[in-house]
Amino acid sequence: MHKEGEIRVLALGIIRDGDRIFISQGYDPVKQQTFYRAMGGGVDFGETSFEALQREFQEEIQADLTNIRYLGCLENLFTFNGKQGHEILQVYQCDFVDPKFYQLESLVFAEGKRQKTALWVDIARFKSRELLLVPEEFLDFLV
């Protein structure tokens, strides 16, 4: 887990299938709000964000990635569970190697001690603001 007052560097992957995006669902108990964010995770010291992206998908859902392309960087200042957070997000577009992932509706995985859900969501639901995608600037990558 990261320390308070620390800036985290994360590598996140956008995986699209037509008008759908494969996304992780989260919940903030303080705000009582469900939100969604791209899958991925923290970059370890001595590891590139490219390598971290591949490692995180392998660790979390045992998925190999292909066609990995760097899209850009976002800085994210936020509050989660009542605590201030600060992240530098390295954003990639990628595809699953195994076609079975495109057939799934949803998938439960472990992130540390927490159970999380990843699922396919229609991008229009984020653009219409029906569902909350974080950080909001992420929508710029979904044009």
Side-chain angles (χ1 to χ4, degrees):
M1 200 62 197
H2 64 284
K3 297 184 288 290
E4 206 168 332
E6 181 181 82
I7 299 173
R8 293 186 70 211
V9 178
L10 282 81
L12 300 180
I14 294 176
I15 300 178
R16 291 179 72 148
D17 180 34
D19 293 331
R20 308 184 305 164
I21 183 173
F22 194 73
I23 205 98
S24 173
Q25 183 178 305
Y27 182 74
D28 187 325
V30 172
K31 296 177 188 170
Q32 298 187 349
Q33 184 177 55
T34 298
F35 62 89
Y36 299 83
R37 77 177 296 163
M39 291 203 50
V43 178
D44 292 337
F45 184 82
E47 166 182 69
T48 66
S49 60
F50 185 90
E51 293 164 339
L53 179 73
Q54 294 175 294
R55 176 184 51 75
E56 286 285 345
F57 269 84
Q58 190 53 242
E59 284 176 5
E60 291 181 346
I61 62 170
Q62 294 73 56
D64 291 320
L65 301 175
T66 187
N67 304 323
I68 303 170
R69 191 169 63 86
Y70 182 69
L71 295 179
C73 183
L74 286 176
E75 190 164 9
N76 186 25
L77 298 165
F78 62 97
T79 304
F80 173 72
N81 206 11
K83 293 194 170 89
Q84 184 66 40
H86 189 171
E87 299 169 334
I88 303 295
L89 309 174
Q90 296 287 69
V91 183
Y92 291 86
Q93 185 168 318
C94 45
D95 296 315
F96 287 119
V97 170
D98 191 334
K100 78 173 183 194
F101 286 100
Y102 294 99
Q103 310 307 317
L104 297 170
E105 290 230 352
S106 66
L107 155 74
V108 175
F109 65 97
E111 187 181 81
K113 294 179 180 152
R114 292 191 313 258
Q115 291 249 303
K116 307 261 313 238
T117 302
L119 63 161
W120 288 101
V121 176
D122 192 315
I123 292 167
R125 296 179 75 189
F126 296 121
K127 290 185 175 172
S128 71
R129 304 290 197 268
E130 175 195 341
L131 299 177
L132 175 64
L133 183 66
V134 297
E136 207 171 279
E137 296 82 6
F138 220 84
L139 283 170
D140 297 342
F141 292 116
L142 303 179
V143 180

